[in-house]
């Protein structure tokens, strides 16, 4: 029999329907993607009683139509205080209006000559709503285009004219999947760094996989629910930052063995602050992986062969997951990973950076 419950949280009512033989812990897992609160950070209260994880909903005396209050523990709510911004806030609309007259006027000849001489077009924090026409005249001279912290709504097809571009920095704008000319980006065959973080992206197109020279891709702090399978074609990729999105599963391009073989150079992956519940067994095919960040997800375990196959891994961040240190010690290959981790900590200590001899990278001690 299914129960219809009303979950009271943050001033709103969330309707859920779950079997009455489900455990309270199962209910918390159902609420995770609906509230962004990790199961271990949820306290459920009904009729003045705190519900115990191990009990079923029936044995907890919940009935159809009952109201349940959810209280989120500080530090385990993915949408609140624990999320620290790693970059300055985008330019405010008030500031943009006050500087627009200056920043959006025609670029003078001295600036254009400087762009052509250095190959660097620096236009961050300029209050721009569109890319100045003068940029396109740089063509084969431009190596870096920095448009961070503006109010851009569009990246036009003209981006394809910057044939020699190696770094395209677009973080902190108002771009969506529809407003970017992905065909234009696909023409940038020498592009090694692409920053699209802190925009309004709710998806990415398969065209992303044509940027085969990319070494660093930052798509963090958007509203992505998935990443296209074509990610596996980015054969030069070394750093993938996809934290602070709404990803519920690892992209198929990382899960599939064939695509993983192509990702030979991937060394750092950040998937923290998402809605991941598990990692597939084939994740270990990322044999060059050295740093993996999984904090603030709903993970309960790692693949059994994870430490054996990820033989270069030395950094593993599991803060605010349900994975315990005891569980990790039971996995094959733990000892070798722990040795690499301690060696890295020792190197940090040698440079006067504090470290710890015990494993405290987010796994609970109990």
């Amino acid at each position: 029999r299914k129960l219809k419950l009303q979950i009271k949280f943050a001033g709103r009512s969330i309707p859920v329907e779950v079997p009455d033989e489900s455990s309270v812990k199962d209910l918390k897992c159902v609420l995770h993607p609906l509230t962004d609160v990790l199961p271990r950070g949820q306290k459920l209260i009904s009729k003045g009683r705190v519900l115990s994880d191990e009990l079923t909903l029936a044995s907890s005396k919940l009935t159809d139509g009952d109201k349940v209050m959810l209280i989120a523990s500080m530090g385990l709510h993915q949408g609140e205080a624990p999320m620290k911004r790693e970059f300055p806030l985008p330019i405010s609309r008030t500031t943009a209006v006050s500087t627009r007259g200056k920043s959006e006027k025609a670029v003078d000849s001295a600036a254009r000559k400087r762009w052509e001489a250095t190959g660097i077009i620096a236009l961050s924090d300029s209050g721009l709503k569109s890319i100045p026409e003068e940029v396109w005249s740089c063509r084969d001279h431009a190596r870096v285009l920095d448009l961070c912290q503006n109010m851009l709504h569009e990246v036009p097809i003209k981006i394809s004219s910057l044939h020699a571009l190696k770094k395209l920095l677009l973080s902190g704008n108002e771009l969506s999947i529809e407003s970017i000319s992905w065909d234009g980006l696909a023409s940038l065959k020498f592009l090694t760094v692409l920053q699209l973080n802190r925009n309004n992206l709710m998806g990415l197109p398969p065209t992303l996989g044509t940027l085969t020279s990319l070494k660093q891709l930052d798509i963090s702090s958007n509203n992505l629910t998935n990443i296209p399978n074509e990610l596996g074609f980015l054969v030069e990729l070394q750093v993938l930052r996809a934290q602070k999105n709404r990803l519920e599963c690892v992209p198929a391009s990382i899960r599939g063995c064939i695509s993983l073989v192509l990702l030979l150079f991937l060394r750092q992956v950040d998937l923290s602050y998402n809605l991941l519940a598990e990692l597939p067994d084939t994740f270990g095919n990322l044999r060059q992986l050295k740093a993996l960040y999984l904090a603030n997800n709903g993970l309960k375990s790692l693949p059994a062969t994870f430490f054996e196959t990820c033989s270069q891994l030395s950094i593993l961040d599991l803060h605010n997951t349900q994975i315990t240190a005891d569980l990790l010690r039971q996995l094959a290959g733990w000892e070798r990973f722990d040795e690499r981790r301690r060696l890295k900590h020792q190197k940090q200590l040698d440079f006067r950076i504090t470290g710890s001899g015990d494993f405290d990278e987010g796994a609970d001690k109990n």
Side-chain angles (χ1 to χ4, degrees):
R1 189 171 67 93
K2 287 196 173 183
L3 296 179
K4 293 181 179 179
L5 303 174
Q6 293 293 325
I7 309 300
K8 300 296 183 179
F9 174 66
R12 57 194 176 107
S13 182
I14 305 171
V16 296
E17 188 172 338
V18 289
D20 61 357
E21 67 270 16
S22 300
S23 68
V24 172
K25 192 171 185 179
D26 292 334
L27 175 59
K28 289 182 177 182
C29 291
V30 171
L31 294 176
H32 177 201
L34 299 176
T35 62
D36 285 353
V37 183
L38 295 168
R40 62 183 291 197
Q42 298 178 30
K43 180 184 289 186
L44 299 180
I45 301 175
S46 176
K47 301 173 184 175
R49 296 178 294 106
V50 177
L51 303 182
S52 177
D53 282 356
E54 292 74 23
L55 297 179
T56 66
L57 302 183
S59 60
S60 298
K61 298 183 179 179
L62 290 177
T63 58
D64 202 43
D66 276 356
K67 296 178 181 179
V68 179
M69 181 180 295
L70 189 160
I71 298 176
S73 298
M74 193 63 175
L76 296 174
H77 185 195
Q78 291 173 265
E80 295 292 341
M83 294 178 61
K84 298 180 180 178
R85 290 187 177 270
E86 299 164 350
F87 303 93
L89 291 170
I91 188 168
S92 68
R93 292 183 179 274
T94 303
T95 305
V97 170
S98 64
T99 60
R100 184 171 54 197
K102 178 180 178 180
S103 61
E104 292 193 355
K105 70 180 182 180
V107 178
D108 59 39
S109 59
R112 291 163 63 180
K113 289 180 180 178
R114 185 168 61 252
W115 291 353
E116 293 182 0
T118 64
I120 301 173
I121 304 175
L123 289 171
S124 63
D125 286 304
S126 297
L128 298 174
K129 289 190 174 182
S130 61
I131 302 175
E133 287 296 319
E134 292 80 3
V135 168
W136 314 127
S137 64
C138 292
R139 298 182 66 82
D140 297 334
H141 299 285
R143 294 180 297 105
V144 178
L145 176 56
D146 185 355
L147 292 163
C148 297
Q149 318 304 331
N150 282 292
M151 300 176 67
L152 298 180
H153 291 273
E154 181 187 14
V155 177
I157 187 65
K158 290 182 180 180
I159 193 73
S160 62
S161 65
L162 305 180
H163 304 295
L165 200 64
K166 293 185 176 181
K167 296 183 179 181
L168 179 56
L169 314 179
L170 294 166
S171 63
N173 282 284
E174 299 179 9
L175 300 170
S176 65
I177 184 174
E178 297 85 6
S179 66
I180 297 174
S181 173
W182 298 99
D183 289 337
L185 288 186
S187 302
L188 306 179
K189 300 303 182 183
F190 300 102
L191 196 67
T192 60
V193 177
L194 177 59
Q195 290 184 0
L196 291 168
N197 52 307
R198 295 191 302 111
N199 278 282
N200 297 323
L201 297 175
M202 300 185 71
L204 294 169
T207 317
L208 183 69
T210 64
L211 298 172
T212 53
S213 294
L214 271 189
K215 294 184 177 179
Q216 296 183 28
L217 175 61
D218 192 342
I219 50 176
S220 62
S221 299
N222 282 287
N223 289 301
L224 299 173
T225 56
N226 61 74
I227 296 176
N229 293 339
E230 287 75 11
L231 178 78
F233 295 125
L234 303 181
V235 294
E236 299 291 329
L237 195 64
Q238 297 180 16
V239 178
L240 172 63
R241 297 187 179 96
Q243 69 270 27
K244 299 179 184 176
N245 281 288
R246 298 188 64 81
L247 301 175
E248 295 185 12
C249 63
V250 174
S253 55
I254 289 183
R255 294 171 67 179
C257 296
I258 296 177
S259 295
L260 275 171
V261 171
L262 296 177
L263 293 172
L264 293 175
F265 302 108
L266 195 56
R267 289 176 169 82
Q268 178 179 322
V269 176
D270 193 339
L271 294 168
S272 54
Y273 288 96
N274 277 288
L275 302 173
L276 300 177
E278 63 178 356
L279 292 181
D281 292 339
T282 53
F283 197 88
N285 286 355
L286 296 173
R287 297 183 184 276
Q288 296 300 314
L289 191 64
K290 294 185 177 181
L292 178 59
Y293 302 92
L294 296 169
N296 284 76
N297 279 285
L299 296 169
K300 301 176 183 177
S301 64
L302 294 176
T305 60
F306 179 75
F307 289 127
E308 286 187 312
T309 50
C310 291
S311 57
Q312 301 295 316
L313 191 70
S314 60
I315 297 176
L316 178 61
D317 184 357
L318 295 170
H319 283 89
N320 295 336
T321 67
Q322 299 185 58
I323 299 174
T324 67
D326 286 342
L327 185 151
L328 294 177
R329 293 189 183 98
Q330 295 173 21
L331 298 180
W334 158 263
E335 293 80 6
R336 288 188 293 276
F337 162 73
D338 194 40
E339 183 179 347
R340 293 191 301 271
R341 185 190 64 83
R342 288 172 181 270
L343 179 60
K344 186 172 185 65
H345 275 247
Q346 187 58 52
K347 288 181 179 179
Q348 292 175 333
L349 285 171
D350 291 343
F351 285 96
R352 301 178 186 275
I353 300 177
T354 58
S356 170
D358 296 325
F359 185 80
D360 67 346
E361 294 170 1
D364 282 351
K365 299 297 186 294
N366 51 28

